[in-house]
Amino acid sequence: MAKAEVLVLVGRSGSGKTTLVRCINRLEFIDRGHIYVDGELVGYRLHNGKLVPESEWAVAEHRRHVGMVFQRFNLFPHLTALDNVMIGPLRVLRRSKAEVRGEALALLEKVGLVDKRDRYPSQLSGGQQQRVAIARALAMKPSVMLFDEPTSALDPETVDEVLAVMRDLARGGMTMIVVTHEMRFAREVADRVIMMDAGAIVESGTAREFFLNPKNERTRVFLSSIL
């Protein structure tokens, strides 16, 4: 995919969407094919034409450039919102606390939560926790952001606040791969939409093409069931 592109993956539960994004971040193993991020093979190296797993150190280096936001927020419960955002740059990148703190506050401002910087996850709503999780991923300055159904665990009234942050990221040129059931978001924001079924891509096109003129019967059935 191209830099600054927003790619949305859709399909029924169990179709392989989450597995695909987890492979990009080497949270799942692949047994054939190749995945590249910024021109680099992810999690493996080629030896005599075969994939050989990279070391854990090399995998960790790769993950520094790939931000991921999960269905469940995965915040550290014993850390404040600010400390959750700061922990990656401090622990992994070994950057100075003063510099990291300033950037973390700016990211919390970006997601509309700078006033909640001293709150713990248990003191935040689900939507607020997910916005902190987005800020935490952005703190590592990733090349691409992966979103695995980021609104599926939220109450309906908090979904829009998370999608608004994601729209702002897209407008700002962030490269994004988004697994979602939010078709309105896909229509409005996606540069390209991919339909998956049984672990395979069955349709790919612009958002306009995908929603107005789907070519695959499985895509048409899927869209008719949810729209």
Side-chain angles (χ1 to χ4, degrees), residues 136-154:
R136 182 178 63 179
L138 291 172
M140 294 295 288
K141 301 182 179 180
S143 301
V144 58
M145 285 282 286
L146 310 178
F147 294 86
D148 182 18
E149 298 192 29
T151 60
S152 65
L154 301 180

Side-chain angles (χ1 to χ4, degrees), residues 174-221:
M174 173 60 69
T175 307
M176 298 163 59
I177 300 177
V178 183
V179 175
T180 186
H181 292 292
E182 298 290 339
M183 294 299 105
R184 183 169 56 120
F185 176 86
R187 278 178 179 268
E188 296 173 357
V189 180
D191 296 300
R192 187 158 44 110
V193 182
I194 283 177
M195 167 79 177
M196 294 192 67
D197 186 70
I201 294 173
V202 297
E203 182 137 7
S204 176
T206 66
R208 180 178 177 82
E209 293 168 344
F210 185 87
F211 287 103
L212 296 183
N213 188 31
K215 298 176 177 59
N216 189 283
E217 178 62 22
R218 281 177 284 184
T219 307
R220 290 192 287 270
V221 171

Side-chain angles (χ1 to χ4, degrees), residues 35-84:
I35 298 174
Y36 291 87
V37 174
D38 275 351
E40 295 186 5
L41 188 60
V42 174
Y44 300 86
R45 55 187 172 83
L46 285 173
H47 180 70
N48 294 330
K50 295 183 179 180
L51 289 177
V52 178
E54 281 280 20
S55 67
E56 285 303 313
W57 179 88
V59 171
E61 280 293 299
H62 159 75
R63 287 196 184 119
R64 288 171 49 175
H65 306 288
V66 181
M68 188 158 185
V69 178
F70 300 86
Q71 296 178 36
R72 297 291 175 177
F73 325 119
N74 291 349
L75 298 178
F76 294 107
H78 62 292
L79 297 180
T80 65
L82 179 60
D83 289 336
N84 263 284

